[in-house]
Amino acid sequence: KAGVTQTPRYLIKTRGQQVTLSCSPISGHRSVSWYQQTPGQGLQFLFEYFSETQRNKGNFPGRFSGRQFSNSRSEMNVSTLELGDSALYLCASSLVVRGATNEKLFFGSGTQLSVL
Amino acid sequence: GQQLNQSPQSMFIQEGEDVSMNCTSSSIFNTWLWYKQDPGEGPVLLIALYKAGELTSNGRLTAQFGITRKDSFLNISASIPSDVGIYFCAGSNYGQNFVFGPGTRLSVLP
């Protein structure tokens, strides 16, 4: 069974631009979460989607948005990029909804975003 | 918000040695997950724990869910060079978002 797939792997953008990152969860998984990872802040939760509905949102500005499609694939968008948005963006999928018993998060390899 | 502490922050060990690390929380969790991350890659799930006192193994790795539900422990026996990486713990409580620790960086000397 294929793992979580994130595209692209690397991205270089300039300040003010916008970016869209894509995540395909493990087949059959309906929950997708997004995290931002930086050396200083560690892994920070962005948002979680289940069955095309955003169920949880982290403490990030409105420039960060996401959506989930009917096939469970998810995208996140960052508008008006800032230098501080440079980070590894990780997507994680789960078979069950947040809070269900035996929940596990499986991560993709991430998208390394550099903002110049 | 919730914070997780991991100890130690980093460790240097000789190949063949056993490793112990822990994760503590200020609040109780009902799920603990342990991950290993290599540079430039996403975290890989090692062990999942769902019950206080639970002890689970995955090869040379053993993790325990603390009985207070505020801590968890990971042990690696007979370390090998490929154990090098950053080990993260993550905790969640009944539908809340997972909170991740800052990681323990493990270096294995030949």
Side-chain angles (χ1 to χ4, degrees), chain B residues 47-90:
Chain B
I47 293 178
L49 301 161
Y50 302 106
K51 189 187 297 185
E54 179 182 357
L55 191 70
T56 298
S57 293
N58 177 8
R60 294 177 297 106
L61 279 62
T62 301
Q64 184 165 24
F65 196 135
I67 58 173
T68 67
R69 296 175 60 195
K70 291 185 177 183
D71 53 12
S72 181
F73 310 89
L74 177 69
N75 295 312
I76 305 173
S77 63
S79 58
I80 59 178
S82 62
D83 290 334
V84 167
I86 302 177
Y87 291 80
F88 290 98
C89 60

Side-chain angles (χ1 to χ4, degrees), chain B residues 17-62:
Chain B
E17 286 184 351
D18 295 343
V19 174
S20 292
M21 61 187 78
N22 67 67
C23 191
T24 58
S25 167
S26 57
S27 47
I28 61 173
F29 288 137
N30 72 324
T31 299
W32 285 99
L33 305 176
W34 282 93
Y35 291 88
K36 176 178 182 279
Q37 186 175 26
D38 293 326
E41 297 294 328
V44 174
L45 181 64
L46 300 173
I47 293 178
L49 301 161
Y50 302 106
K51 189 187 297 185
E54 179 182 357
L55 191 70
T56 298
S57 293
N58 177 8
R60 294 177 297 106
L61 279 62
T62 301

Side-chain angles (χ1 to χ4, degrees), chain A residues 25-26 28-32 49-52 68 72 93-96:
Chain A
I26 293 171
H29 286 198
R30 295 166 62 191
S31 173
V32 173
Y49 288 88
F50 183 83
S51 293
E52 303 178 66
Q68 186 180 34
S72 294
S93 79
S94 174
L95 179 63
V96 298

Side-chain angles (χ1 to χ4, degrees), chain A residues 55-69:
Chain A
R55 295 176 60 88
N56 279 301
K57 190 177 191 307
N59 189 27
F60 278 82
R63 300 185 296 108
F64 292 81
S65 62
R67 59 178 176 170
Q68 186 180 34
F69 302 96

